[in-house]
Amino acid sequence: MKFLEKLFVVCAIIGLFLRVMMWDWGELFLTVSLPSLAILYLLTSWSIFKHKEDGQHLFLSLFTGFAFSAVFVGMLMKLMIWRGGNIFLLSGLGMMLVFKIFGLILEKKLAEEMDSYFRKLFLRYYIIAGISVLLLCTPYKFIVSIYHRNDPEYISLFIKYFEEPKNKKYKSDFLKHRRKIFKEKLKNDEKHQHHTHKDQ
């Protein structure tokens, strides 16, 4: 399970890099790796957090996994610019804070017996919490402006639609522009394939 955890983390980093660089496959990597991490922590946290020698505190491991799962769903929604990302991040961080306090109390009582278990668990806490807070403080506008920095019109239309989703004009304008981009991408791909066949 720990191997899968590392694999999905690497895939998420690759996906974010591809997305920021505006290259293909970024969305696919993110939409596969982050939900996979959420499911992994939700269902197998007892296996991931367990230490060979120190064992684990089962209750703390299970509920920490649940909190991590919520946070990774929030990360996915925020990085894919889907509504509700901040809600999941906040709820996950709130649960993490509660279990962190609970973990600190347990650590004082079981420090000698389960030192390695708590150290590794808290290391994950700090890394995941740090990334979550950073994403929570990052406005959707900023993320869109990075992903589509070469298309100011897209950014402008998206922000209008995102802020007023019930406005039919904003929605229509945004969807039209998105369809236009998609059609242009298809044409460019066809041209590229045509030139490739010619060269061969």
Side-chain angles (χ1 to χ4, degrees):
M1 293 302 172
K2 289 180 182 178
F3 169 75
L4 286 176
E5 179 191 24
K6 291 175 183 176
L7 176 64
F8 292 141
V9 167
V10 170
C11 287
I13 294 169
I14 292 170
L16 182 59
F17 175 76
L18 293 174
R19 197 85 168 87
V20 170
M21 296 302 293
M22 300 186 295
W23 293 341
D24 293 336
W25 303 101
E27 289 186 4
L28 179 63
F29 269 87
L30 287 175
T31 51
V32 169
S33 59
L34 292 175
S36 297
L37 278 169
I39 294 168
L40 194 70
Y41 280 124
L42 183 65
L43 301 179
T44 65
S45 56
W46 56 272
S47 176
I48 294 171
F49 301 146
K50 186 177 181 180
H51 193 268
K52 289 181 181 178
E53 297 174 3
D54 292 358
Q56 67 177 320
H57 190 282
L58 187 59
F59 175 83
L60 183 62
S61 293
L62 288 173
F63 282 91
T64 299
F66 184 75
F68 284 2
S69 180
V71 161
F72 277 107
V73 171
M75 287 182 188
L76 172 69
M77 297 175 77
K78 192 70 183 271
L79 291 172
M80 294 301 295
I81 322 174
W82 296 339
R83 295 179 190 281
N86 286 341
I87 294 171
F88 274 92
L89 285 170
L90 273 172
S91 59
L93 283 167
M95 287 187 284
M96 284 175 65
L97 179 61
V98 172
F99 299 135
K100 170 65 176 173
I101 294 168
F102 181 63
L104 287 171
I105 295 169
L106 284 174
E107 186 185 23
K108 288 181 180 179
K109 294 180 180 180
L110 305 170
E112 292 182 6
E113 301 170 25
M114 304 172 73
D115 180 59
S116 296
Y117 164 73
F118 284 112
R119 271 193 290 107
K120 291 188 176 181
L121 182 66
F122 289 157
L123 178 62
R124 285 184 174 89
Y125 260 108
Y126 299 136
I127 294 171
I128 294 173
I131 295 169
S132 301
V133 170
L134 182 64
L135 273 177
L136 189 63
C137 296
T138 304
Y140 277 102
K141 294 178 185 178
F142 180 75
I143 298 173
V144 175
S145 66
I146 291 176
Y147 289 168
H148 301 277
R149 54 187 176 273
N150 292 342
D151 191 350
E153 188 179 356
Y154 182 98
I155 297 168
S156 175
L157 291 171
F158 178 86
I159 291 170
K160 286 179 182 178
Y161 169 56
F162 193 82
E163 291 178 346
E164 296 184 46
K166 292 181 180 179
N167 189 308
K168 292 182 180 179
K169 186 182 183 305
Y170 290 163
K171 182 179 180 180
S172 174
D173 291 344
F174 171 67
L175 292 177
K176 279 180 183 177
H177 187 71
R178 195 168 68 172
R179 280 194 293 270
K180 179 185 171 185
I181 293 170
F182 183 70
K183 287 177 181 177
E184 287 175 356
K185 189 176 185 303
L186 282 177
K187 285 181 181 178
N188 290 333
D189 288 343
E190 286 174 2
K191 284 181 181 178
H192 179 70
Q193 288 177 359
H194 181 68
H195 286 307
T196 304
H197 288 308
K198 270 190 171 182
D199 292 339
Q200 288 175 350

